[in-house]
Amino acid sequence: MTMIERVSSFNNEYFNGLIVKYSGNGQAPESHGMHRAIMAYLRSNDENLSGLMVDDMPFIQDMDDFMGTIEAAGITEFLLCDTSTGLMGSLHYLMGHGWQIIGTREYAPNPYSKRQGLCMKKA
């Protein structure tokens, strides 16, 4: 299955264009942050979500490119499900760049696991 064939439940033209651009010519995305944003988009589709879910935030030095890619895609809300030790740094970055926590969400991607997350929204 190709990367673009993984897109099913959450369709975003900007991300689809990046996937086609970088998977078709053998080049890597422009930055590690952009790559991580594309992977979050694909994982969201793998879990049949209708919006973006981020379960693995990048290192702080890659956050500008990561969030720039997400914002360029027109995304103003996403579910943050990261459980890494860097979560507090990510939250400080997001809140310092105009994002707010607007609630919590819990869902089960399959009968054997449960995800908990924070709903993030651009202010």
Side-chain angles (χ1 to χ4, degrees):
M1 175 182 288
T2 66
M3 283 195 285
I4 201 68
E5 290 173 337
R6 291 169 60 185
V7 176
S8 59
S9 60
F10 174 41
N11 194 346
N12 180 283
E13 290 303 315
Y14 183 78
F15 275 117
N16 291 346
L18 292 177
I19 290 168
V20 168
K21 176 180 179 181
Y22 292 113
S23 64
N25 65 12
Q27 288 183 318
E30 297 168 19
S31 67
H32 188 62
M34 178 183 278
H35 171 75
R36 296 288 287 270
I38 293 167
M39 296 313 297
Y41 174 65
L42 291 171
R43 280 192 302 277
S44 299
N45 275 283
D46 292 343
E47 293 197 21
N48 293 314
L49 297 174
S50 59
L52 185 68
M53 182 262 310
V54 179
D55 63 354
D56 190 19
M57 292 293 279
F59 292 116
I60 204 70
Q61 66 266 23
D62 298 316
M63 285 290 284
D64 286 339
D65 290 335
F66 178 79
M67 292 308 299
T69 303
I70 287 173
E71 291 179 9
I75 294 172
T76 58
E77 278 188 41
F78 68 93
L79 181 61
L80 177 60
C81 294
D82 191 349
T83 59
S84 73
T85 56
L87 177 59
M88 189 58 65
S90 296
L91 287 171
H92 276 260
Y93 176 95
L94 291 169
M95 295 174 101
H97 287 84
W99 289 83
Q100 300 174 340
I101 299 170
I102 59 168
T104 60
R105 181 166 173 218
E106 202 171 277
Y107 74 97
N110 61 60
Y112 308 105
S113 67
K114 178 172 55 172
R115 293 241 185 188
Q116 295 177 320
L118 299 172
C119 298
M120 304 299 298
K121 183 173 184 155
K122 184 73 173 184

